[in-house]
């Protein structure tokens, strides 16, 4: 239903943000030092806040503008608790609801668990970003640009990547009015 779709859209980038002190503690714990050791500036207000993480603009000491994706501190625990609940419930749905006739609920929960647990490790996300950028470059696809993660500043809960300007993937008006530009290679 349209109402459900609208609510799920809010989880992409309009979730209430974590307080900056929580963000600071996460980044400093994962990177092993104070923010000032890694960044000449770090915006305290996020650019976006979603269900798993939020993103802050920052500048490296080299002057490069970056974004810092920071995982919410309790998200891994909550996801594991939700998976345990789904795993317990899934067998009860077998043969009891129409969609269960089309799929195996315990197997769906297992697949979901594998997928979501991978999303909780930003090192995998960074690796996937590099792989996708390489494929796009090899196939001469210049209309999609993947931001480059900084491989030395990526942990399971923090990812620093180059800052790109653009628009949301569902912003049709923004896509229509975006000037054509040459993409860069990976």
């Amino acid at each position: 239903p349209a109402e459900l779709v609208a609510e799920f859209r809010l989880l992409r980038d309009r979730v209430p943000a974590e307080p900056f002190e929580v963000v600071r503690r996460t980044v400093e714990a994962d990177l092993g030092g104070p923010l000032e050791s890694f960044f000449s500036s770090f915006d305290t207000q996020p650019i976006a806040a979603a269900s798993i993480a939020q993103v802050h603009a920052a500048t490296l000491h080299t002057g490069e503008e970056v974004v810092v994706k920071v995982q919410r501190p309790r998200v891994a625990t909550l996801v594991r608790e939700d998976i345990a609940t789904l795993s317990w419930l899934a067998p009860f749905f077998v043969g009891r609801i129409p969609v269960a006739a089309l799929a195996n609920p315990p197997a769906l929960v297992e697949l979901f668990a594998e997928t979501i647990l991978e999303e909780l490790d930003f090192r995998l996300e960074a690796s996937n970003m590099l792989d996708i950028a390489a494929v796009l470059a090899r196939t001469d696809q210049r209309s999609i640009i993947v931001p480059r993660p900084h491989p030395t500043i990526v942990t399971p809960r923090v990812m620093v990547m180059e800052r790109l300007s653009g628009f949301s993937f569902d912003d049709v008006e923004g896509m229509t009015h975006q000037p054509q530009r040459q993409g860069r290679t990976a």
Side-chain angles (χ1 to χ4, degrees), residues 21-44:
E21 281 311 308
V22 172
V23 170
R24 175 187 282 279
R25 278 195 303 274
T26 302
V27 173
E28 290 179 347
D30 273 37
L31 298 185
L35 282 181
E36 298 75 21
S37 298
F38 301 94
F39 307 99
S40 60
S41 70
F42 196 106
D43 288 353
T44 59

Side-chain angles (χ1 to χ4, degrees), residues 53-70:
Q54 61 192 54
V55 178
H56 291 262
T59 305
L60 298 175
H61 289 294
T62 62
E64 181 182 357
E65 291 185 3
V66 295
V67 294
V68 183
K69 183 175 180 179
V70 183

Side-chain angles (χ1 to χ4, degrees), residues 3-113:
E3 299 83 18
L4 191 58
V5 171
E7 286 301 313
F8 279 128
R9 280 189 178 139
L10 297 176
L11 294 177
R12 285 198 312 245
D13 60 3
R14 293 188 206 122
V15 175
E18 292 287 340
F20 181 69
E21 281 311 308
V22 172
V23 170
R24 175 187 282 279
R25 278 195 303 274
T26 302
V27 173
E28 290 179 347
D30 273 37
L31 298 185
L35 282 181
E36 298 75 21
S37 298
F38 301 94
F39 307 99
S40 60
S41 70
F42 196 106
D43 288 353
T44 59
Q45 294 299 312
I47 297 168
S51 56
I52 291 177
Q54 61 192 54
V55 178
H56 291 262
T59 305
L60 298 175
H61 289 294
T62 62
E64 181 182 357
E65 291 185 3
V66 295
V67 294
V68 183
K69 183 175 180 179
V70 183
Q71 192 173 112
R72 292 177 178 275
R74 289 201 14 86
V75 75
T77 300
L78 294 172
V79 165
R80 285 180 176 84
E81 289 171 359
D82 288 349
I83 289 169
T85 301
L86 287 170
S87 295
W88 184 80
L89 289 173
F92 294 106
F93 292 130
V94 175
R96 291 195 171 111
I97 58 173
V99 74
L102 302 174
N104 176 349
L108 287 175
V109 169
E110 185 177 337
L111 179 61
F112 171 74

Side-chain angles (χ1 to χ4, degrees), residues 154-166:
V154 176
T155 72
R157 299 184 305 160
V158 175
M159 178 168 45
V160 177
M161 63 189 110
E162 72 178 312
R163 183 167 185 181
L164 299 175
S165 61

